[in-house]
Amino acid sequence: MAPRTAAAAPAVEESQSMPGLQFNEPLSWRAGKPIPVADLLRRLQALSREMQEMEQDENERDSFTAVAKELASPNLLTHKDKGVRAFTASCLVDILRLCAPDAPFTGQQLRNARKENILLIRLQDIFNLIISNILPALSDPSHAYNNQHLYVLNSLAQVKSIILLADIPSAETLIDNVFKYCFDVLSGPSKTSDGEELQKSVEMHMTEMLVCLVDETQALPPDAVDIIVAQFLRTDPKALRVSGGKSKKNGVIDEKQSTLELRQLPPAYSMAKYICNACPEKMARYFSQYFNEVIVDASKSSSQKIPSKNKKRHSDGLVDSDDENAGGPNEEGLLELRKVHGLLRELWRACPGVLQNVIPQLEAELSAENVQLRLLATETFGDIISGIGAAGPPVPPNMDPAAYPANALADPTEHTASLNLATKPSSPQPFPKAHPQAYSNYLGRRQDKSPLIRAAWTTGIGRILTTCAGGAGLSQQEEDRLIAELARMLGDADDKVRIAAVKVVASFSFRDLISKLGRSGGVDDAGSVLATLAERVKDRKHLVRQEAMPVLARLWGVAVGEISAGNEQVHALLGGAPSKILNTHYTNDHEVMVLLDRVFFEQLLPLSYPPVKAKSSKSVNGSSQGAAESQGGTIDPDKIRTERILLLARDLDERAKRVFYINQSRQPMLSPYISTFLERCEEYNGGVMDQNESQIKEHLTKLIKTFAARLPNPQQASADLWKFAKMHDRRSYQLIRFCMKPDSDYRTVVKAIRELTKRIVEISPSTTASNSLVDTLTSLVYQISLIVYNKSHVPAIVEYSRTDEKSLAATAHEVLRQISSQTPEVLKAHVQEICKTLQDEAPTAKKANDAGAIDNLKACASFASKYPKEIPQDPKFRQAMTSFALYGSPAEAAKYAVSVIWAASDKKEMLVRDLVQKCLKDFRYGGEGFLSRLATLSQLMLLAPNEIDQDSNDAILEIAIKQILMQVREPTRMPVDAYEWSSTIDTEALAKSWALKTLVNRIRSYDDVDGLPTVAAPVYQLLTTLIEQNGELDKAKNTPPSHKSRLRLLAARLYLKLCKQKPHESLLTPSVFNALAVVAQDSIREVRAGFLQRLKKYLHHQKLPQRFYATPFLFAFEPNDQIRSDVTTWIKSRAAAFSNVKSQQLGPSTKVSTVMESIIARLISLLAHHPDYANEPEDLVDLSRYIIFYLQNVATEDNLSLIYHIAQRVKACRDAISSTPAPDASSTEADDRLYHLSDLAQITIRKYEDLHNWTIQTLPGKVRLPSSIFSEIKSHSEAQRIAEHNYLFEDVEAGVENVLKATLRASRPGHGKKRKSEGDAERREVKKSKGLPIRKVAGPGGSKERRAAHKRTATTSKTPKAKKVTETKEQDSGERRRSGRAKLVEKSYAERDSEEDDEEMDMVNVAPAGDEGDSDLDADAQAERSDTGNDHKVETTNGDGQDAADEDEDALEEPAPKTTPKSMSRSKRKSTISPEVTKSNVQPKVTARATRSKAPIRGEAKATTSDEELSDPPDSD
């Protein structure tokens, strides 16, 4: 029907034949004579029934005039009875329906202006009754007159009588009330106290009525618009809680609202959404006006208050204004803006059409000067494009690394739609297509100068990717573009942006991670999202590392199920993640190491994994329950956990694998100290002690200091450990012991850790204090607990080694070998099973053993060396070991079998003789098992030399020398000087290797020290020949090139092994040592790396004398970046370790350890005898690179004076290595080389001092140089001449300075590069420094031209004095030299062993200047040995004949604790060793300050992640 208006035309005369209203009872009364309510109700009911049955346009309209007047009377409209009002309203809406489109009045009356006003007034009263009484009453379905209320609402909606409100003057209040009461009804409780529910028709009719009103009204009142807008905040949980208290039913919160996550959207929200979508154009105009005041005005006000000179677009990213927050809204305004922007998010989800005029306004905010406005706009655009509303983003996916079974890509339940309709991302239309310009401007915010904006933008694109633009979808091109931007943000210059990007990656579900982010590449593909995330685990900022490392570990933990199932895609993407994480160990940062432990045991290998009980179908969560039930209740959590451990270890790279195994080796190293600490805590008794109080406190202090040094905050850690000691909780002590006991199974260890944490929290009174104590103890407990090498895992490891299930046999063997080496106690319960396996796999002449048997044999040998009685003694097992000794493959299997026989057998002599006879019988090259026999003989020569008779010994030597070493069975056709490496080693090379080991093992086990030189001389000569002749022994020089490189490397490594024993080390002459050192510059990378690896290991374990520390500095010209980085890292780690030892030794003693500083003298001597030495200016400048390399890794401001002093002292000596010493009046060529290099070292040190703005101090004492390589100058005049003569050419100094500056610039992080991201520098190819490549070894005689050139006359000017040297009194140089030589005259320079020389160099004794007793410093290493033990330990062997340090060929050092040099005023800084000199004859008081090296990597404020500045793991010292 047509809508009815107050200005409708007069009604047409109706036909007299149409029926009319039959009701004729009065409904009005006079004042004072009211109609009784019962009668009135009866009459109104009768009238209502009659009119409801009437149809429109079928009745006489004039018949309604009288009734209409009575119904519109104030007596009925304002009647106090609810029923009267309800029926009156019902009758009135029927009157309006039946008389439409004309009012129930005659045309004559309408023409009267006064009557028209009366009509409008009555309409106003009628709608006031309906709006104020009927509409609110609809909220109560149990109301007695609810049917009448519903009838009124239905009539208003169907007949559209509500539009009459538009004709009433000043109807804004009525319209506001219509919207108010309608939304109040729908937002209130949906049920009454009786449980009766609000009918759905109420929402439908109200919606229809309000749409009609909006559509017909020319302008809605602002309050009505506010009411509509407010409904969209009902999905916001905060707004929901606030509005819930305003319920009309005594504050009862709507049940539908409280359970919003599981049910439909609120009815009021749905009604507002329908209204906006039904009238988009009008509502768009209203919303534009609504947001204009809040958004545009705020932007204008902020920009107007900023000076014009700063009004530059932030997208330029070039100007960083300090006033970018000036002129913005205040705090209250920001709160309102956030609320409004939240509305915009929800409006886009519900009705995007109404925002067509608002989006440009919001876009203008992206370029606002005020950063808060830009931030709000950026966040809002990101959420709008993602379809995220006011309720916020959906709940992040469940990425639990401890879940079992793990997430699977094919699992349909892995990615289910969110049940929360308020947070489910939804975008009705793709924003980039609807508003392309705004979308483009939004993408431009990635270059905003503010990190807050870039961080918010990063979060936004992450949400766009995870939600597929709110479900609207993205093209693959656009998706790839956003993924590339995410990778760029992961490398942003600001840490806040990087953290935001890391959190974005964490928000992806497993499926999206693989399908979306995986498209850019995996963790090993440079530039991909995952690779850049992996770089963040070594970020300079700890906050970034703290976010990135757990995320990367969690991704691998979630993906482990697919990796285990053999999914190549997932393995390629995330298989390398654990390596990236474990490699952070090399940063030498204690914060990183503590974080690494937490991530390892909480993400990579969670303690709670798998969350099921052993051999039970019960489980912790539903998914695991289902998994257990599907497997019939036979799930084995230990096997599941073991599989995860093996998967992790299998995919580690070499560096990460070293870290993995060395971290497990901390347990046996630290456990004794923790046990001692617990004993001292028990004796401490909470501070109450009856005796030995000072000793207990002193010992406890030392232990706490040692443990605290391993943690990021030593001061806080020390306080925490003292607090733990004072708590005196014996249960906690026992729990820690449970964690360390080899007998504890996995569940016991985990339960002990959890209970310990719980007890600490309960006992500690303060939450902050308890958290700190828990963190400290957790870090230590992780290091000493048997978690990975647990006895619960051994059966599963053995099973995997047998079955090769999931290709894990090789890894299982490797782990088993490590367990036997580090914690053999764990194998006690399972060694019988391992031995049974070996017995079953024993080889014969016709059957080879299993490839994994060698690992089991090595594990068994390691165990037998410590627990020989646990090894089976039955004949079958001995026969099996004999079979391995004769036929084992590879030959190392025979070696370990012999070790087992020797360690466990009670009939050693008989078995040895029997084995020797079997090995020698019919031996021939290429015969049956000849390699195994060679290995067996080699091991027997080491373990049982006394059980081998002389005839057998001679036969063994004949086989090794004549049949193997001196024969070339496959002569080479290549040039004589051909020298190469082969990745595979052939049989002949293997045979020669075992033959050479046999000869070396024979002298290693020789126990007659007096006769050792005679017996060892031929072997030493053989090894020297192999080193000097590049592995060639054949006179015809037909040895294959690949054999020569292998033999040279083996000879060098065997020399190192021999030098671990003091008697053998004394036989290594200085000239042979120099030849051995040059192996570090072999032309083949594998030779250099193999030699370096063994050298580092022996030095770290203090198996070699200190002179070998000079060799690593020959890697100054190393072309391979990885090797050079490893050398640099290791040297810095050792320097820091010795520095830490010195700091611990400070006390009353005046002697301090100077191991690394004293090496400069040996390095100069080594360079003087280097085959490439020449004294041409350019060659000397090149040689300065060795000195610079030494200074970069060793020198600090504290020890530079001592280094300079030692370099000076070299010039006061002669070379003692040369076999033909010169007369006293002249110097030899070797002497001149020393003097050239001494001057070169001095000038390099001075330049290094100047560039670092340091000061070289005067040292009052003198350092004794090693007598094995230096001798005295007996002629005073010759000494004077040498001291005053400058042996350098004029242009050498400038060349050294240029090289030094270039080297320091190149080593500076980020030098010469525009920083784009944290990871860019690591991904770029490192530019090799210009200089010598691998220095080619010249012949023994050297170059004739160079020897001749060296004799030319250099400048005769005096040697420049050291700059900035402070002296209290100038002394005569001649007197000082005589004083310094006084002790030298008395000292014999007969050849001594190098250990005595090293002891003299290692300890510095302070002597006062001018004292009559001034002499060279005495040799005394006792101070150092008291803390660290003898530097040159006598080697000990385990059961398999190997050194204990040789068990792990890839053993690595742990980073030394960081030391921070004291802050000292330059004007007050004293010399490195500064005695307080007195003029009296009283013994002067001597003080010493430790020379401490600076931290091997960055300080807290200056960090780096480049490998060149990373340090090795901490020293076990």
Short mmCIF file of all heavy atoms in Angstrom, two decimals, residues 703-728:
data_model
loop_
_atom_site.label_atom_id
_atom_site.label_comp_id
_atom_site.label_asym_id
_atom_site.label_seq_id
_atom_site.Cartn_x
_atom_site.Cartn_y
_atom_site.Cartn_z
N LEU A 703 82.93 -21.75 44.37
CA LEU A 703 82.03 -22.53 43.52
C LEU A 703 80.95 -21.64 42.92
O LEU A 703 80.64 -21.72 41.72
CB LEU A 703 81.40 -23.66 44.33
CG LEU A 703 82.34 -24.82 44.71
CD1 LEU A 703 81.65 -25.74 45.71
CD2 LEU A 703 82.75 -25.60 43.47
N ILE A 704 80.37 -20.79 43.74
CA ILE A 704 79.31 -19.90 43.25
C ILE A 704 79.86 -18.94 42.21
O ILE A 704 79.21 -18.67 41.18
CB ILE A 704 78.67 -19.15 44.43
CG1 ILE A 704 77.84 -20.11 45.29
CG2 ILE A 704 77.81 -17.98 43.93
CD1 ILE A 704 77.23 -19.47 46.51
N LYS A 705 81.06 -18.46 42.43
CA LYS A 705 81.67 -17.55 41.45
C LYS A 705 81.89 -18.27 40.12
O LYS A 705 81.67 -17.70 39.04
CB LYS A 705 82.99 -17.02 41.99
CG LYS A 705 83.69 -16.03 41.07
CD LYS A 705 84.99 -15.55 41.67
CE LYS A 705 85.69 -14.57 40.73
NZ LYS A 705 86.98 -14.09 41.29
N THR A 706 82.29 -19.54 40.19
CA THR A 706 82.51 -20.31 38.96
C THR A 706 81.22 -20.53 38.21
O THR A 706 81.15 -20.36 36.99
CB THR A 706 83.14 -21.67 39.32
OG1 THR A 706 84.38 -21.44 39.98
CG2 THR A 706 83.39 -22.49 38.06
N PHE A 707 80.16 -20.90 38.92
CA PHE A 707 78.87 -21.13 38.25
C PHE A 707 78.29 -19.83 37.72
O PHE A 707 77.72 -19.80 36.62
CB PHE A 707 77.89 -21.78 39.22
CG PHE A 707 78.31 -23.14 39.71
CD1 PHE A 707 78.06 -23.55 41.00
CD2 PHE A 707 78.99 -24.01 38.87
CE1 PHE A 707 78.46 -24.80 41.45
CE2 PHE A 707 79.39 -25.26 39.31
CZ PHE A 707 79.13 -25.66 40.60
N ALA A 708 78.41 -18.76 38.50
CA ALA A 708 77.84 -17.48 38.07
C ALA A 708 78.51 -16.96 36.82
O ALA A 708 77.89 -16.28 36.00
CB ALA A 708 77.95 -16.46 39.20
N ALA A 709 79.81 -17.30 36.64
CA ALA A 709 80.53 -16.83 35.46
C ALA A 709 79.99 -17.45 34.18
O ALA A 709 80.25 -16.94 33.09
CB ALA A 709 82.01 -17.14 35.60
N ARG A 710 79.23 -18.53 34.28
CA ARG A 710 78.67 -19.18 33.09
C ARG A 710 77.32 -18.60 32.70
O ARG A 710 76.72 -19.04 31.71
CB ARG A 710 78.51 -20.68 33.35
CG ARG A 710 79.79 -21.40 33.71
CD ARG A 710 79.53 -22.87 34.00
NE ARG A 710 79.08 -23.57 32.82
CZ ARG A 710 79.88 -24.15 31.94
NH1 ARG A 710 81.20 -24.10 32.12
NH2 ARG A 710 79.40 -24.78 30.89
N LEU A 711 76.82 -17.63 33.46
CA LEU A 711 75.48 -17.09 33.24
C LEU A 711 75.56 -15.64 32.81
O LEU A 711 76.57 -14.96 33.05
CB LEU A 711 74.64 -17.25 34.51
CG LEU A 711 74.46 -18.70 34.98
CD1 LEU A 711 73.74 -18.75 36.30
CD2 LEU A 711 73.72 -19.52 33.93
N PRO A 712 74.51 -15.12 32.19
CA PRO A 712 74.57 -13.76 31.62
C PRO A 712 74.82 -12.67 32.64
O PRO A 712 75.55 -11.72 32.37
CB PRO A 712 73.18 -13.59 30.97
CG PRO A 712 72.67 -14.97 30.77
CD PRO A 712 73.24 -15.80 31.87
N ASN A 713 74.22 -12.79 33.82
CA ASN A 713 74.36 -11.76 34.84
C ASN A 713 75.04 -12.38 36.05
O ASN A 713 74.37 -12.87 36.97
CB ASN A 713 72.99 -11.19 35.22
CG ASN A 713 73.08 -9.99 36.13
OD1 ASN A 713 74.14 -9.71 36.72
ND2 ASN A 713 72.00 -9.25 36.27
N PRO A 714 76.37 -12.40 36.09
CA PRO A 714 77.07 -13.09 37.19
C PRO A 714 76.69 -12.56 38.57
O PRO A 714 76.58 -13.34 39.51
CB PRO A 714 78.54 -12.84 36.87
CG PRO A 714 78.59 -12.57 35.41
CD PRO A 714 77.31 -11.86 35.10
N GLN A 715 76.49 -11.27 38.67
CA GLN A 715 76.17 -10.69 39.98
C GLN A 715 74.83 -11.20 40.48
O GLN A 715 74.69 -11.63 41.63
CB GLN A 715 76.17 -9.18 39.87
CG GLN A 715 75.94 -8.47 41.21
CD GLN A 715 76.04 -6.96 41.08
OE1 GLN A 715 76.25 -6.44 40.00
NE2 GLN A 715 75.89 -6.26 42.19
N GLN A 716 73.81 -11.18 39.60
CA GLN A 716 72.50 -11.67 40.00
C GLN A 716 72.53 -13.18 40.23
O GLN A 716 71.91 -13.69 41.17
CB GLN A 716 71.47 -11.33 38.92
CG GLN A 716 70.05 -11.77 39.24
CD GLN A 716 69.51 -11.13 40.49
OE1 GLN A 716 69.63 -9.92 40.67
NE2 GLN A 716 68.90 -11.91 41.37
N ALA A 717 73.25 -13.90 39.37
CA ALA A 717 73.34 -15.35 39.54
C ALA A 717 74.01 -15.70 40.86
O ALA A 717 73.60 -16.65 41.55
CB ALA A 717 74.10 -15.96 38.37
N SER A 718 75.05 -14.95 41.22
CA SER A 718 75.73 -15.19 42.49
C SER A 718 74.78 -14.96 43.67
O SER A 718 74.73 -15.76 44.61
CB SER A 718 76.95 -14.29 42.60
OG SER A 718 77.61 -14.47 43.83
N ALA A 719 74.00 -13.88 43.59
CA ALA A 719 73.03 -13.62 44.66
C ALA A 719 71.98 -14.72 44.74
O ALA A 719 71.57 -15.14 45.84
CB ALA A 719 72.37 -12.26 44.43
N ASP A 720 71.55 -15.21 43.58
CA ASP A 720 70.55 -16.29 43.57
C ASP A 720 71.10 -17.57 44.18
O ASP A 720 70.41 -18.26 44.95
CB ASP A 720 70.09 -16.56 42.14
CG ASP A 720 69.28 -15.42 41.57
OD1 ASP A 720 68.69 -14.66 42.37
OD2 ASP A 720 69.23 -15.27 40.33
N LEU A 721 72.34 -17.91 43.85
CA LEU A 721 72.92 -19.15 44.39
C LEU A 721 73.17 -19.04 45.88
O LEU A 721 73.02 -20.03 46.63
CB LEU A 721 74.21 -19.47 43.64
CG LEU A 721 74.03 -19.86 42.16
CD1 LEU A 721 75.37 -20.04 41.48
CD2 LEU A 721 73.20 -21.14 42.05
N TRP A 722 73.54 -17.86 46.35
CA TRP A 722 73.66 -17.68 47.81
C TRP A 722 72.29 -17.81 48.47
O TRP A 722 72.17 -18.37 49.58
CB TRP A 722 74.28 -16.32 48.12
CG TRP A 722 75.77 -16.31 48.12
CD1 TRP A 722 76.61 -15.69 47.24
CD2 TRP A 722 76.62 -16.99 49.05
NE1 TRP A 722 77.92 -15.94 47.56
CE2 TRP A 722 77.97 -16.73 48.68
CE3 TRP A 722 76.38 -17.79 50.17
CZ2 TRP A 722 79.05 -17.24 49.37
CZ3 TRP A 722 77.46 -18.31 50.87
CH2 TRP A 722 78.77 -18.04 50.48
N LYS A 723 71.30 -17.28 47.83
CA LYS A 723 69.93 -17.41 48.37
C LYS A 723 69.53 -18.88 48.45
O LYS A 723 68.91 -19.33 49.43
CB LYS A 723 68.97 -16.64 47.48
CG LYS A 723 67.55 -16.53 48.03
CD LYS A 723 66.67 -15.77 47.05
CE LYS A 723 67.25 -14.40 46.76
NZ LYS A 723 66.45 -13.65 45.79
N PHE A 724 69.90 -19.63 47.42
CA PHE A 724 69.60 -21.06 47.41
C PHE A 724 70.33 -21.77 48.55
O PHE A 724 69.77 -22.65 49.21
CB PHE A 724 70.00 -21.66 46.06
CG PHE A 724 69.81 -23.14 45.97
CD1 PHE A 724 68.53 -23.69 45.85
CD2 PHE A 724 70.89 -24.00 46.01
CE1 PHE A 724 68.35 -25.05 45.77
CE2 PHE A 724 70.73 -25.37 45.92
CZ PHE A 724 69.45 -25.90 45.81
N ALA A 725 71.58 -21.39 48.77
CA ALA A 725 72.33 -22.01 49.86
C ALA A 725 71.72 -21.68 51.21
O ALA A 725 71.68 -22.53 52.12
CB ALA A 725 73.79 -21.56 49.79
N LYS A 726 71.24 -20.46 51.37
CA LYS A 726 70.65 -20.07 52.65
C LYS A 726 69.28 -20.69 52.87
O LYS A 726 68.84 -20.82 54.01
CB LYS A 726 70.55 -18.54 52.71
CG LYS A 726 71.92 -17.86 52.77
CD LYS A 726 71.80 -16.34 52.73
CE LYS A 726 73.18 -15.69 52.75
NZ LYS A 726 73.09 -14.20 52.66
N MET A 727 68.59 -21.04 51.78
CA MET A 727 67.29 -21.71 51.93
C MET A 727 67.45 -23.06 52.61
O MET A 727 66.59 -23.50 53.37
CB MET A 727 66.65 -21.89 50.55
CG MET A 727 66.11 -20.63 49.94
SD MET A 727 65.67 -20.84 48.19
CE MET A 727 64.59 -22.25 48.30
N HIS A 728 68.54 -23.74 52.32
CA HIS A 728 68.88 -25.03 52.92
C HIS A 728 67.70 -26.01 52.83
O HIS A 728 67.23 -26.57 53.82
CB HIS A 728 69.29 -24.84 54.39
CG HIS A 728 69.93 -26.06 54.99
ND1 HIS A 728 70.98 -26.72 54.39
CD2 HIS A 728 69.66 -26.75 56.13
CE1 HIS A 728 71.33 -27.75 55.13
NE2 HIS A 728 70.55 -27.81 56.19
#
